[in-house]
């Protein structure tokens, strides 16, 4: 079934139209890679899905629930709730420097638990469960021995893996990556790509903005290629990368021919 449906999404910044009539679907357990040159609107698209930006037009639905319609009004509490459908992994890690790796992972769940009506009665059990799940995520990321380390004590690849664990901690419907390796050197890039591939192998539903072309081919079920805020090509890796229909896609692939 389609877990995510995006219909006719548009976004302007002043006179600049950054997204123009973007539509796509994502099935549960599949990965969608979003490709395009810098400035093509890829990051803005992710930010609109996660309510970090408000689209000017369009609709966003998750599991057939309408999360966003441009004409509707949403208060801060509603936006926070809707945002929980998406886990977001940023380019620059954005870890809290004052907290350990484990605390960075568990903090959001701890704050959410305090708003639960069951918190007063089951405070200890809830915290034990959150702590245990945090340790499991550290192990999943290959960081079992780094839980007490602070971000400045971790390599860039380790920090990004903590950021991935943090995004997974709230069990989002969809995990979103915004060029997760752009701040890493080639050796550390491999660490993070292996983690993302392992998530794809487990059929984690993901949206991935990336310039890693070979990686996109390997893990994506569907590819969306954007240019100047518009959808240029949309289909399977075989359709988009092996048999491009547009000159713009062909030029893009030629530029990255060493990676494909």
């Amino acid at each position: 079934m389609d877990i995510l449906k995006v219909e006719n999404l548009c976004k302007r910044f002043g006179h600049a139209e950054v997204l123009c009539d973007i539509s796509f679907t994502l099935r549960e357990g599949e990965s969608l890679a979003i490709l395009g040159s810098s400035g093509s609107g890829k990051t803005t698209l992710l930010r609109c899905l996660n309510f970090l930006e408000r689209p000017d037009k369009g609709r966003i639905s998750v599991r057939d629930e309408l999360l966003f319609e441009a004409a509707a009004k949403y208060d801060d509490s509603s936006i926070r709730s809707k945002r929980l459908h998406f886990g977001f992994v940023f380019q620059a890690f954005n870890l809290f420097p004052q907290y350990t790796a484990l605390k960075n992972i568990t903090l959001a769940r701890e704050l959410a638990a305090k708003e639960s009506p069951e918190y007063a009665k089951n405070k200890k059990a809830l915290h034990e469960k959150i702590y245990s799940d945090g340790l499991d995520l550290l192990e999943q990321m290959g960081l079992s021995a780094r839980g007490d380390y602070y971000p400045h004590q971790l390599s860039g690849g380790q920090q990004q893996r903590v950021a991935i664990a943090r995004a997974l901690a709230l069990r989002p419907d969809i995990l979103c990556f915004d060029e997760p390796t752009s701040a890493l050197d080639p050796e550390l890039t491999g660490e993070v790509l292996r983690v993302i591939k392992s998530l794809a192998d487990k059929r984690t539903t993901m949206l991935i903005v990336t310039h890693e072309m070979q990686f996109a081919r390997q893990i994506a079920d569907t590819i969306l290629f954007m240019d100047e805020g518009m959808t240029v090509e949309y289909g399977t890796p075989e359709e988009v990368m092996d048999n491009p229909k547009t000159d713009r896609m062909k030029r893009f692939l030629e530029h990255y021919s060493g990676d494909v």
Side-chain angles (χ1 to χ4, degrees), residues 172-190:
D173 292 302
I174 302 156
L175 195 57
C176 301
F177 294 88
D178 184 17
E179 297 188 25
T181 61
S182 64
L184 304 176
D185 64 36
E187 184 177 359
L188 299 180
T189 291

Side-chain angles (χ1 to χ4, degrees), residues 217-229:
R217 181 193 289 277
Q218 289 174 352
I219 72 160
D221 299 282
T222 312
I223 287 178
L224 173 67
F225 174 64
M226 297 176 61
D227 188 49
E228 296 184 351

Side-chain angles (χ1 to χ4, degrees), residues 195-207:
V195 168
I196 299 173
K197 187 176 186 309
S198 73
L199 294 173
D201 291 341
K202 295 173 183 174
R203 307 308 291 172
T204 303
T205 308
M206 296 188 288
L207 284 168

